[in-house]
Amino acid sequence: MSMSNARQYPVELQRQVIDEVKNHNRLLSDVAKQYGVSAKTVYQWVRSNDLRQMRSKSAIVSEIAHLQQKITQLSQQLHTMAS
């Protein structure tokens, strides 16, 4: 099936399905049946969501490390100026 023939689902439906699987500990196959979506599609949504969250967390951790370095640098400059 080409991407142009792929069925598009509303974002809200995708969020609801992901929530059922991740936050309500429901079986992926049960959720797929309930919402009339293939189990493969639900798996892809959950996997994509997990990857997005990992990238987001990684970016936040990286930014925190950068800011901590900047604080250290500024503290050293302040200490030098005060001496």
Side-chain angles (χ1 to χ4, degrees), residues 12-28:
E12 186 54 39
L13 173 68
Q14 293 178 34
R15 286 186 186 131
Q16 211 171 355
V17 167
I18 292 167
D19 180 64
E20 291 284 335
V21 173
K22 299 294 283 181
N23 298 325
H24 297 284
N25 299 318
R26 295 200 44 219
L27 292 176
L28 191 142

Side-chain angles (χ1 to χ4, degrees), residues 61-74:
V61 168
S62 178
E63 180 66 13
I64 289 170
H66 170 75
L67 291 172
Q68 287 173 328
Q69 289 175 341
K70 189 69 173 173
I71 288 169
T72 300
Q73 176 189 18
L74 291 171

Side-chain angles (χ1 to χ4, degrees), residues 32-49:
K33 285 179 190 174
Q34 177 184 344
Y35 287 92
V37 179
S38 75
K40 179 180 178 182
T41 298
V42 173
Y43 171 80
Q44 289 171 337
W45 292 348
V46 171
R47 174 92 170 115
S48 177
N49 183 66

Side-chain angles (χ1 to χ4, degrees), residues 1 8-9 13 31 35 40 56 81:
M1 177 186 298
Q8 294 292 319
Y9 293 94
L13 173 68
V31 174
Y35 287 92
K40 179 180 178 182
S56 177
M81 290 171 56

